[in-house]
Amino acid sequence: MELSRRTFTALAGTAALGLALAGSGGAATGPQGPRVVPTGPPPPLPEADGRRHRVTYDRHSLLVDGRRLVLWSAEVHPFRLPSPSLWRDVLQKLRAHGFTAVDVPVPWNVHSPAPGVHDFTGVRDLNRFLTVAAEERLYVVLRPGPCLGADLDAGGLPGWLTAAPGSARTDDPEYLRHAEAWLAAVDAIAVRHLYTAGGGTVLLYRLEDGRPVPAGDPAARAHRARLQAKALADRIDVPLLDGERWTGGDGPPTAGLTAVAGGAADAWGGPLSGGEGYARVRETHDATHERRRHLAALADGVTVHHTGMGFGGTSWGWLPGPGVYTSYDYGAVLDEGRQPAPNMAAAQQLGHLVRTVPDLARLEPDGDGEERAADGRLTVRRLANPDTGARFFVVRNDTDEEVRALLPDTGIEVPVTVAAGDTKLVASGLRLGHRTLAFTTAQPMLCVSTGRQDVAVFVGRNGETAHVALDCEKQPGADRADTEPAWAYDHDRGRLNVVSPLGVGGLSRVLVKDGDSETPLVLLFADDETALRLWTYETPAGPLVVYGPALLRSAELRGSTLHLTGDVTVETGVEVWGPRGVAEVTWNGAHVPTYVGRARSRVMEGLMPAVRAVALPALDGWRCRTENPESDPDFDDSAWTVADRTTSHSTTPVPEGGPVLFADDYGCHHGDVWYRGRLKDLSGIRSVALSYSTGTQGLLMAWLDGRPLGAHRMPAPDEDTAARGTWTATARFDVPGAVRSPGEHVLSVLVRPMQHAGTEPGEDAHKAARGLVAVEFAGGDRSVEWRVRGATDPERVTGPFNNGGLYGERRGWHLPDHDDRGWRVVEFPRARRRQGVTWYRTQFRLGFEPELDASVGLTLEDDPERAYRVQIFLNGWNLGQYVNDVGPQHTFALPNGILRTRGANTLALAVLSDGTTPAGPGKVTLTLLGAARGGVPVEPVDPPGR
C-alpha cells in the first residue's frame, strides 16, 4: 500500500551519504571530520552568487561553509499552482514567515506526456521556479522522484508508463531506461542551480519518496542504487537524501539531521469516512497542534526540519491520486487561496527562532529523557548547548486544563503556564545580543542585533503573562513604551525582572539600557495573533524588525531611505527597528512620515487604511447544451480506435478470449473514456454485465441503441477502504425486450476512470486497469466489435492532465473562444433528470484595482440528495471536480493569472448525472478567499489552444 505522504527522513544515514558524495568532484564532501564546529552565527541567506560553497554535516546539523545551519523547510507544489508569477508570492510569504527552505517535488507525470518527452515550459518551468527561489533567498530540497507519492495520479509516474513493459521502482532495465531519462532531464536543469557551485540554492537532493527500501527486496535496492549513481553521473554534488539508510550507517550518528514532517502518523490526511467524500477531510491544524509536533522534533535534536505542507494548492484537472479531492491545502500553513492558515503562527515563531538563535543548531540532552514538573502534570525535556551553556526546556501539557507549575532544576524561578494540550519552549542562560537571559516563562521567537541595539521577541498565548529575567550586575535603566509591562530590579540577585501580559493592547515594548552593556536591548512581547504582524528581514546593512503590516515582502536601504514592500489587510501602522542611518521610510513606493519612538524604533505617523471591501459579480446569463451523442446508434465512430488487442502490460488479467478493453492500452490515461460496441444480434439476450475498474469514486453509464440502460458508481470509501487505490465492480443491466432482436445494435458505455493508484517497488499497482475490463451477456454469447475514444493528445499549454474524453471537451466547449450563441439560455438553480452530460457556460468580468491582490473561489451548493458531479473549467482550464452528493468540497480556488482579475472570464461547467435524481447545478457564486493591498505582479496564463 502506498502512503500518500510520509514522514520526511532527511539526510539519510552517513554510509548512504558518503557513498552518494564520494567522487562527485563537487564542493560537498560528506560528513564533517573529527573537528567540532562550535556554535556561531548561521551562514548568510543563500543566493545565486556565483561562488563555490561547501556543504557538509556532522551529527548535529548541516554545515554550510563551516557554519551550522538549522533548516526550516516547508513543502511547496508549484505544479498545483498553474500560475508561475504567483510562485513568487508563495515563496515570499514562506520566507517572510520564517522558512529558510522549500521542499519541491518534481512530478514525472506532469512533465512527460509521452516516452522520451520532457516538457519544462510554461506552467511546468522548473528553471523559473528555482530561479525565483534563489532570488527570494530560500534553500531548495529538490525531489525528482521518479516516484513521489504526493497524492498524485500513479504516485507521479506518467500515464503512458501504465501501458509500458517493465516493473516500476525495481532494477528492471525497461523501467530504468525511462526513469534514468527522466532524471537526466531534471538534473540538466538542477545542476545549473546547485548551491555548491553558486548557480542557485538547491542544497539537498532527495530520491524517490523518501521511504526506506526493505532489506529483503534486492530489486528495489538495486533500483535505488542506480538512481544514486545516475544523480552522481549527472554532476549532482549536493548531499543526496535517501530514506532507505536514514536509520543506520557506519559513520557518525545523524539523529540530529533527521527531519520530521508530521509527527508519528501521516501528517496531512486522515482516514476517509462514508459521509466525507472521496477524499481526505482537510486538516485545519491550529497553532497548538503545530507547536506540539515541532517542539517534539526540536527536543529529539532535529535540525533539518521538514515542517509539512507549506503550500499545497489545487489538484486541478486529473492530477490527484486516489483518496484526495481538488483542494490540497489541508494542513498547509498557506491555504489554497494563498492566505495564512491557523497553524501559521506556531510555524512562524519557531522558524524565526531557529534562524536567529544559533544555540539551537547544537543541542545535547540535558537529563534522563522526559521528567515531570513539580505537580506531575507537565512533562519536561531538557536540552543544552555545550558551547554556550544555554539551556532549553520543552514543556508539554497533556491535560485538558491550563497548568501553572514550577519547573525544578531549570533555573526558572517562577511558575510556567502551559495551556491545555499545548507545548511551550522556555529557556535559561541564553545570550540576547549583549546581555544574558537568566530565564523566561514565555517562548523566545527571535533575537537580532540591528543598528546599535539588540531586539528580542517573546511570545505566548493571549492572556498569559510573560516573565523575562536578565542577569545584570549593574542596575540598568528600563523604559516602558507601553503601559502593560512592569519591571523591577533585584539588587541582591543582580537581576532585572520584566513582566508583561500578552496580547493586551497588541505589542508591548520595554527598552533596557545601560547597566552591564552600552548596547540597548528592546524586549517585545506578543501573543500569537500579534506575532503574525512581526517580521524580520536581512539587508546588506544589517537585519531589521518590522511590526504592523500583514506581510513584509522586501526591504532595501538606499542611502538614508528604507524602502519596504508588503501587504496590508486591516488598518495598521508600520514600526521599524533597523540599521543605523535610516531617516526616511517608504511603503510600496509611497513615502511614510515617521518619528523615533520610545523603544528606539521608527514609527509611522498615523495609520494605513484597511483594504476596501471587494465586490464580486453575480453569475448569471447561463447558456446550456446537452451532449453525449456517442450514445446514439448512428454516431460516426469510424475515427475511433479499434479495441482489438489481446495482450497487455496491465496487472489486471485480460479476460479469456479478449479483447483488451483497458483504457490505458489505447492511450486514454486521464479523464472520461467512451466505448462503443457493435453487436449483430440480441435475440435471447436478457442482460449485460459490464465489469470495470477505476480509482476512488469512479462510475459507469450505459446506453443500448441510444436508450439509457442505467449507471453504476463505486461506493464512497470508509475507514476500512480509505487506502484502496483501485476499485472494481460489475454493473448488470436488463436488456429491454424491444431490442432483443436480430440486426445491428450499439452498446455505448461512458466510464469515468478517476485516478491511478500509487505503487510500491515491484507491485505495479499503477498498472491496474482503468475503464472497461470485460463484458458478458446473459442468454448467449455475442461477438462485439469495440471502439474506444478518450482524451485528445495532451495540450501544449495545459499538459496531460487538463484534457478529458467528453464530447464537449473534444469540441472545445470549455474554451473561452467557443461560440455558444446557439445554446439555450437558462437560469439557476437547475433540476433536470437526465443520464449523461450537460454543459453550462457564462461570462463574468472583474475590475480589481492594480494594487489589490484578491483570491477568488467558485462555490457550488445544492440539495445533497441530488446525485451529480461537475467539472469546472475557467478560461479553458479544468480546475477541479465537484461531487454534489458526496462532498465535502464546495469552494474551488480560481488562481489569478488563469483568472483575469481585470477583464473577462469564461466559466464552463460540465455536469455528469446518472439520471437517478434531478441534477443541478443549484447555487453557483463567486467567493472571496482573501484580499490585501499589495501582492506581486501577476502575468496572464494562456488558455488552452494557444
Side-chain angles (χ1 to χ4, degrees):
M1 177 188 74
E2 181 202 35
L3 295 177
S4 58
R5 298 188 185 167
R6 282 153 282 281
T7 299
F8 176 73
T9 52
L11 283 185
T14 304
L17 283 172
L19 169 66
L21 296 168
S24 65
T29 58
Q32 177 71 28
R35 183 178 70 88
V36 175
V37 177
T39 300
L45 294 178
E47 58 183 326
D49 56 11
R51 303 173 183 172
R52 297 203 56 86
H53 297 277
R54 180 178 173 84
V55 182
T56 59
Y57 55 92
D58 63 13
R59 69 189 185 93
H60 293 290
S61 70
L62 284 166
L63 301 168
V64 175
D65 295 329
R67 297 188 185 186
R68 294 199 176 278
L69 172 66
V70 179
L71 209 64
W72 192 254
S73 176
E75 189 164 325
V76 174
H77 292 181
F79 55 92
R80 283 189 164 106
L81 181 57
S83 181
S85 56
L86 289 181
W87 296 344
R88 186 179 299 275
D89 174 73
V90 167
L91 294 178
Q92 285 185 349
K93 287 175 177 174
L94 290 173
R95 188 253 306 136
H97 284 93
F99 291 92
T100 57
V102 287
D103 185 275
V104 184
V106 188
W108 188 2
N109 55 6
V110 169
H111 296 271
S112 182
V117 178
H118 304 108
D119 183 357
F120 292 94
T121 63
V123 299
R124 297 164 295 279
D125 191 344
L126 176 62
N127 183 72
R128 174 173 179 169
F129 182 88
L130 296 178
T131 298
V132 174
E135 291 171 350
E136 298 304 329
R137 307 193 74 180
L138 286 164
Y139 291 110
V140 173
V141 180
L142 194 67
R143 293 172 48 199
C147 184
L148 292 171
D151 290 324
L152 289 160
D153 182 89
L157 300 178
W160 53 263
L161 197 66
T162 61
S167 184
R169 308 184 70 185
T170 72
D171 61 350
D172 187 301
E174 286 292 328
Y175 172 73
L176 283 172
R177 178 169 61 88
H178 295 303
E180 290 178 340
W182 161 245
L183 289 182
V186 179
D187 293 347
I189 297 171
V191 76
R192 305 200 301 267
H193 294 269
L194 297 179
Y195 188 59
T196 46
T201 56
V202 174
L203 183 74
L204 303 171
Y205 181 101
R206 178 183 172 195
L207 290 167
E208 282 285 274
D209 56 7
R211 293 167 58 207
V213 174
D217 191 340
R221 296 181 71 81
H223 157 254
R224 194 69 62 93
R226 281 284 294 268
L227 299 185
Q228 289 181 346
K230 176 59 179 171
L232 295 176
D234 289 342
R235 297 180 293 121
I236 302 298
D237 65 0
V238 296
L240 304 182
L241 315 184
D242 189 349
E244 72 171 347
R245 311 242 182 129
W246 71 275
T247 56
D250 56 8
T254 56
L257 300 180
T258 303
V260 174
D266 186 5
W268 293 267
L272 294 145
S273 63
E276 293 169 336
Y278 68 94
R280 289 188 184 86
V281 178
R282 180 189 185 276
E283 290 196 1
T284 53
H285 294 161
D286 60 13
T288 299
H289 176 92
E290 294 298 291
R291 246 191 314 267
R292 192 177 182 97
R293 70 187 184 93
H294 293 326
L295 288 177
L298 192 70
D300 288 335
V302 170
T303 56
V304 177
H305 296 262
H306 181 287
T307 62
M309 187 55 64
F311 176 80
T314 303
S315 292
W316 52 276
W318 300 104
L319 185 68
V324 293
Y325 51 105
T326 298
S327 174
Y328 201 68
D329 69 351
Y330 50 86
V333 293
L334 289 176
D335 67 21
E336 197 176 8
R338 299 176 287 115
Q339 310 301 310
N343 54 357
M344 178 63 90
Q348 178 187 23
Q349 293 164 21
L350 290 170
H352 285 310
L353 178 67
V354 299
R355 172 63 191 167
T356 62
V357 177
D359 307 68
L360 296 168
R362 188 183 177 209
L363 294 179
E364 301 279 2
D366 185 26
D368 299 325
E370 292 188 347
E371 303 174 14
R372 289 287 179 180
D375 72 348
R377 292 182 295 169
L378 297 181
T379 300
V380 182
R381 295 184 66 179
R382 305 166 185 269
L383 303 162
N385 185 297
D387 300 325
T388 66
R391 302 173 72 199
F392 298 90
F393 311 96
V394 176
V395 188
R396 189 180 74 241
N397 179 5
D398 292 327
T399 74
D400 57 1
E401 60 184 2
E402 180 181 277
V403 175
R404 178 175 168 82
L406 286 169
L407 308 178
D409 302 321
T410 61
I412 301 175
E413 299 175 359
V414 297
V416 172
T417 301
V418 185
D422 208 347
T423 304
K424 177 181 288 189
L425 179 74
V426 292
S428 66
L430 177 65
R431 195 74 178 162
L432 300 180
H434 295 79
R435 301 175 192 266
T436 299
L437 174 73
F439 68 82
T440 174
T441 65
Q443 183 168 296
M445 173 176 164
L446 64 85
C447 181
V448 299
S449 295
T450 178
R452 292 181 176 177
Q453 62 202 357
D454 302 318
V455 180
V457 179
F458 295 88
V459 294
R461 283 196 173 226
N462 183 280
E464 292 180 355
T465 297
H467 187 143
V468 169
L470 300 175
D471 285 329
C472 306
E473 291 185 6
K474 298 179 182 179
Q475 181 174 353
D479 293 340
R480 297 180 301 172
D482 304 281
T483 59
E484 290 79 13
W487 64 271
Y489 181 69
D490 184 339
H491 289 272
D492 296 333
R493 305 289 302 278
R495 185 167 289 173
L496 178 70
N497 292 284
V498 181
V499 295
S500 177
L502 300 177
V504 179
L507 188 69
S508 294
R509 310 155 183 85
V510 174
L511 176 65
V512 181
K513 55 188 180 181
D514 301 328
D516 294 346
S517 175
E518 296 181 357
T519 302
L521 170 64
V522 180
L523 297 175
L524 304 179
F525 299 93
D527 66 350
D528 287 347
E529 182 178 357
T530 304
L532 281 170
R533 297 167 60 198
L534 274 166
W535 313 99
T536 183
Y537 196 95
E538 294 189 23
T539 73
L544 54 85
V545 176
V546 175
Y547 172 64
L551 182 71
L552 177 67
R553 293 184 181 270
S554 69
E556 183 181 5
L557 185 60
R558 298 198 296 267
S560 62
T561 301
L562 180 62
H563 300 271
L564 305 176
T565 67
D567 295 359
V568 172
T569 55
V570 299
E571 186 178 63
T572 185
V574 176
E575 185 173 4
V576 181
W577 291 267
R580 296 174 56 190
V582 174
E584 303 288 337
V585 176
T586 69
W587 178 261
N588 288 347
H591 178 260
V592 176
T594 61
Y595 62 92
V596 177
R598 295 181 60 187
R600 296 176 61 93
S601 59
R602 188 156 288 277
V603 184
M604 175 183 176
E605 296 178 1
L607 298 173
M608 292 187 290
V611 64
R612 290 203 293 262
V614 179
L616 296 175
L619 297 178
D620 51 21
W622 291 96
R623 292 177 178 270
C624 166
R625 184 174 180 180
T626 59
E627 63 138 279
N628 49 278
E630 299 93 338
S631 63
D632 191 307
D634 296 327
F635 179 81
D636 182 6
D637 59 15
S638 59
W640 288 23
T641 302
V642 177
D644 57 0
R645 298 190 177 188
T646 57
T647 61
S648 173
H649 294 293
S650 172
T651 54
T652 302
V654 177
E656 185 177 353
V660 175
L661 296 175
F662 314 152
D664 287 300
D665 284 70
Y666 299 99
C668 306
H669 305 303
H670 310 294
D672 298 289
V673 181
W674 275 97
Y675 297 86
R676 282 173 56 89
R678 297 184 182 275
L679 302 88
K680 297 298 184 183
D681 187 1
L682 279 178
S683 301
I685 300 299
R686 300 185 302 274
S687 65
V688 59
L690 304 173
S691 297
Y692 72 116
S693 178
T694 73
T696 309
Q697 281 295 312
L699 60 79
L700 172 148
M701 296 180 183
W703 293 259
L704 184 59
D705 292 344
R707 299 184 181 185
L709 288 180
H712 186 279
R713 60 191 291 183
M714 300 297 179
D718 56 25
E719 292 185 2
D720 295 329
T721 58
R724 185 187 300 178
T726 295
W727 294 71
T728 59
T730 298
R732 290 180 169 83
F733 304 111
D734 292 335
V735 174
V739 295
R740 299 178 189 173
S741 62
E744 185 174 87
H745 300 271
V746 177
L747 176 61
S748 302
V749 181
L750 173 63
V751 180
R752 178 154 288 182
M754 302 300 284
Q755 311 93 335
H756 298 85
T759 186
E760 294 295 320
E763 182 186 45
D764 285 340
H766 65 297
K767 291 188 174 184
R770 290 295 182 265
L772 276 183
V773 174
V775 181
E776 295 181 355
F777 298 94
D781 293 331
R782 293 292 184 272
S783 61
V784 183
E785 179 189 82
W786 287 101
R787 291 177 180 264
V788 61
R789 179 65 188 266
T792 56
D793 293 335
E795 204 275 330
R796 181 188 64 82
V797 172
T798 55
F801 286 103
N802 199 72
N803 297 27
L806 296 181
Y807 180 83
E809 290 179 279
R810 304 197 305 267
R811 299 300 296 269
W813 293 3
H814 59 304
L815 300 178
D817 58 359
H818 179 75
D819 185 358
D820 60 9
R821 289 175 295 178
W823 292 27
R824 183 161 54 96
V825 176
V826 298
E827 294 183 355
F828 288 172
R830 301 286 291 166
R832 185 177 184 185
R833 190 186 297 265
R834 177 178 183 268
Q835 177 178 303
V837 185
T838 305
W839 284 74
Y840 300 89
R841 284 171 55 98
T842 191
Q843 286 193 338
F844 64 93
R845 180 175 288 274
L846 298 176
F848 294 167
E849 299 172 354
E851 66 272 16
L852 178 67
D853 178 16
S855 294
V856 178
L858 183 75
T859 300
L860 295 91
E861 300 173 282
D862 206 345
D863 180 349
E865 298 300 317
R866 293 182 175 179
Y868 67 91
R869 58 186 67 188
V870 182
Q871 287 176 255
I872 300 166
F873 294 90
L874 176 69
N875 295 328
W877 285 81
N878 180 349
L879 292 182
Q881 182 175 184
Y882 168 73
V883 183
N884 182 70
D885 58 329
V886 178
Q889 186 174 356
H890 291 270
T891 297
F892 298 77
L894 307 176
N896 294 354
I898 293 177
L899 178 71
R900 306 296 195 245
T901 59
R902 295 177 62 80
N905 297 274
T906 299
L907 181 64
L909 306 178
V911 178
L912 181 60
S913 57
D914 61 13
T916 60
T917 69
K923 185 179 180 182
V924 182
T925 57
L926 296 176
T927 302
L928 186 66
L929 303 180
R933 195 169 60 252
V936 299
V938 178
E939 302 166 6
V941 179
D942 286 341
R946 292 291 177 88

